[in-house]
Amino acid sequence: MNPPSHGTCSPGTPQERKHVSTQAETFEFQVEARQLLQLMIHSIYSNKDVFLRELISNASDALDKLRLESLRGTELHADTSDLHIEIEADKEARTLTIRDNGIGMSHAEVIELIGTIAKSGTAQLLQELKEAKDAAASQDLIGQFGVGFYSAFMVADRVTLLTRHAAQHQGTRWESSGEGTYTIEAVEEAPQGTAVTLHLKPEDAEDRLFDYASEHKIKEIVKRYSDFITWPIRMATETARSAASADTDSAESEADGAAADEGEGATRPMETLNSMKALWARSRDEVTDDEYHEFYKHISHDWNDPLETIRMHAEGTFEYQSLLFLPSQAPPDLFLRERKRGVQLYVKRVFIMDDCEDLMPEYLRFVKGVVDAQDLSLNVSRETLQQDRQIQLMRRRLVKKVLSTVKDMMSEHPDRYATFWKEFGRAVKEGLLDDFENRDAILEISSFPSTHDAEESVTLRQYLDRMKDGQQHIYYMTGESRQTIESSPHMEAFRAKGFEVLLLTDPIDEMWVGSVPEFDGKQFQSIAKGQVDLDTEEEKKEVEAERERQQKEFAELLSWMTTTLSEKVKEVRLSSRLTTSPACIVGDTYDVTPNLENMFRAMGQDIPQIKRILELNPGHPLVTGLREAHGKGEDPAALEEVAELLHGMALLAEGGELSDPSRFITLLAGRLERTL
């Protein structure tokens, strides 16, 4: 979050000091905001130079928004003839001002946005910071959050902000030392835009706190981090002064009004510090990786380098260029409803909108970047985008490019792929539910924990390569954790016969496995549903007679138990999936799993209770003993208790919940007592 991205002016110039109200209100930072500010003030992030990048980025956003509003015909009555960013350093006063003439902020926006850092993800961030073991980990977490404006407190012991929204006449002045409070007051006749003035801390080379009032240092930072900004970043420099001084004898220079000296009302000679070249429009060999990384940080407000850079240039029926990035870490709000998603949309180098959702599907919401179209209208709206054929075609191609890039990463950079999947795999799998066109491509880049390796995830292609001769299914089981699944009775036969099973523990796994029938001709099969037959044709012939015999021997018991447990199960049958456990609970082929059933209920959906199937292990002593006792006609009440206990044990073994735990404990205690 970068609150003052609406614009940036300073109380440093005479014009800006006019008619300042003396009635300032004092506010307290929220607790979370105060904690985060203290982290910034005490320099948890070692590279303090980035504060200037963040403030310039906010100023650039403000200029983009003002130009966009003017293109839409909004009546702002704002001067857009010379939109720019200005940096002013005062070495004597030890101040640095970053000023823009962008859209600015209203009084209400200043109150809402500054001092209220505690938006989505803040509490989680602070908790993770407390748990971080070292400073490096803390820096990474700060980077995930993107503190933007507040990074100014790394280099300043006091920050003053003066702003006026382009549609209003009155401005607002905000000031704080970043401790516990800040002040806000109304200002008459403030300039359009926003200025942030930093009252700099003393230079401290040991703490990497440099002289940020130094012209040389400012130029170095702008060149490194903000050279690509599309607005001119200007500063009164020695170079500009020398050039102006040399031109004072020129009549043309006098006509232009250039002044060699600086004074009240004089126009200061300015130097533009950045090249303003759009990175996406430049060829790959003209741009360094560092430049791409800084551009990513500018548009994403992430302080970490991206994991992958994706370039795309399309020509033909319509032209567009794109520069996309895969982040190296998932943002804290990746799974929150109020998150923003989408890439920036430009038309012929003109910024149109942030977070253009129509260019990137929900499951790729973490992708950041820029798409620059040549043939769209400059006043295109979010509503018309949904119907625009070009946008839909661009979206299709961009999605395919992202997915193919991840696939290439799998083979060429497996470590980077592992990082990507760890951070974003859960989100990507959401695409299996609604992106039918790219379902196969998503399956190709997916990986899952499996019984093959306790540490490494496996791809479906790797699973297929290891399948046994004659195996027709991709076996999987869903559950809350790997440990729960591996200890399930359903795993016994698969473990005994050496069949690999995918262990699906993400909540989204419960959803997509029911709608994705197969991968490369092999059907997905839950080991906890339907009938399981792992025997080869030869093994079937060998055990066929034995199974027929067992079916006859257990027929009466199975019929009796089905009737006895009719309120709990739909059927009791013999199992071919058990080797050591006496019983297990399974679902019919198309039944909803218990986990999914619970998820639906948690979302407020009232779905009927689903009866499942109880399978018995015909070779287990408890089951054979029950068959014999039933055949002899022993105490029916006692046998019913055993049947109920068998069902309860099977339910607990798969991590389920008993409908009446106290009754189960009473029955179990009674049976144990009679054995002593």
Side-chain angles (χ1 to χ4, degrees), residues 315-572:
E315 296 178 331
T317 52
F318 61 94
E319 256 188 84
Y320 65 91
Q321 296 164 314
S322 67
L323 181 58
L324 305 178
F325 300 93
L326 302 180
S328 57
Q329 291 179 306
D333 63 351
L334 183 63
F335 294 100
L336 297 180
R337 288 184 180 181
E338 60 267 33
R339 65 182 176 270
K340 290 184 178 180
R341 69 177 177 90
V343 297
Q344 292 183 354
L345 175 63
Y346 282 70
V347 174
K348 298 174 184 175
R349 313 279 178 86
V350 176
F351 175 79
I352 299 299
M353 70 179 67
D354 257 330
D355 311 313
C356 182
E357 297 181 356
D358 295 282
L359 284 171
M360 204 58 63
E362 176 76 11
Y363 71 93
L364 295 179
R365 56 187 173 272
F366 50 85
V367 175
K368 300 298 180 184
V370 166
V371 175
D372 188 353
Q374 302 303 306
D375 304 313
L376 290 177
S377 168
L378 284 174
N379 58 4
V380 65
S381 67
R382 291 189 184 272
E383 292 70 33
T384 57
L385 278 177
Q386 296 174 1
Q387 311 300 324
D388 194 286
R389 178 176 172 272
Q390 290 189 16
I391 288 289
Q392 298 308 313
L393 287 173
M394 280 193 287
R395 173 185 169 123
R396 290 178 64 187
R397 293 180 184 177
L398 292 170
V399 170
K400 290 183 183 299
K401 182 65 174 177
V402 170
L403 298 179
S404 67
T405 299
V406 176
K407 185 177 180 181
D408 291 341
M409 199 192 303
M410 290 177 75
S411 56
E412 298 171 14
H413 305 285
D415 290 345
R416 295 221 299 252
Y417 165 76
T419 298
F420 169 82
W421 194 254
K422 174 177 172 288
E423 297 291 328
F424 303 107
R426 282 178 59 196
V428 172
K429 285 187 287 187
E430 294 173 13
L432 295 171
L433 294 172
D434 50 33
D435 190 352
F436 305 108
E437 181 181 355
N438 293 298
R439 178 175 282 174
D440 289 341
I442 297 172
L443 288 172
E444 281 281 4
I445 65 169
S446 299
S447 57
F448 311 93
S450 91
T451 53
H452 177 74
D453 193 305
E455 302 294 333
E456 299 292 330
S457 293
V458 303
T459 67
L460 293 175
R461 188 63 59 192
Q462 290 170 329
Y463 183 99
L464 262 57
D465 291 343
R466 289 193 292 264
M467 283 175 63
K468 291 177 174 291
D469 290 341
Q471 183 179 341
Q472 296 301 314
H473 298 96
I474 299 171
Y475 294 113
Y476 71 87
M477 184 173 175
T478 60
E480 293 184 356
S481 68
R482 181 182 186 118
Q483 182 180 1
T484 300
I485 298 174
E486 287 188 320
S487 60
S488 168
H490 298 102
M491 292 289 299
E492 292 175 3
F494 291 86
R495 189 180 293 113
K497 289 181 174 288
F499 282 88
E500 183 176 357
V501 179
L502 301 179
L503 312 175
L504 308 183
T505 57
D506 287 337
I508 190 64
D509 293 330
E510 294 282 0
M511 309 287 288
W512 72 260
V513 291
S515 59
V516 179
E518 53 90 28
F519 172 72
D520 200 12
K522 299 294 183 181
Q523 289 192 326
F524 289 98
Q525 172 66 54
S526 170
I527 68 170
K529 285 185 181 183
Q531 296 277 10
V532 168
D533 190 355
L534 303 180
D535 293 335
T536 64
E537 291 302 320
E538 291 184 1
E539 289 172 332
K540 287 178 184 177
K541 291 177 182 177
E542 291 176 7
V543 300
E544 186 175 358
E546 175 65 13
R547 286 188 177 177
E548 288 182 3
R549 182 187 65 78
Q550 289 175 341
Q551 203 63 44
K552 290 179 182 177
E553 288 182 352
F554 282 86
E556 287 189 14
L557 175 68
L558 297 176
S559 176
W560 171 76
M561 286 187 69
T562 298
T563 302
T564 301
L565 300 174
S566 60
E567 292 187 5
K568 302 178 185 295
V569 300
K570 67 170 69 172
E571 179 188 358
V572 180

Side-chain angles (χ1 to χ4, degrees), residues 16 262 470 578:
E16 290 160 353
E262 295 179 37
L578 297 173

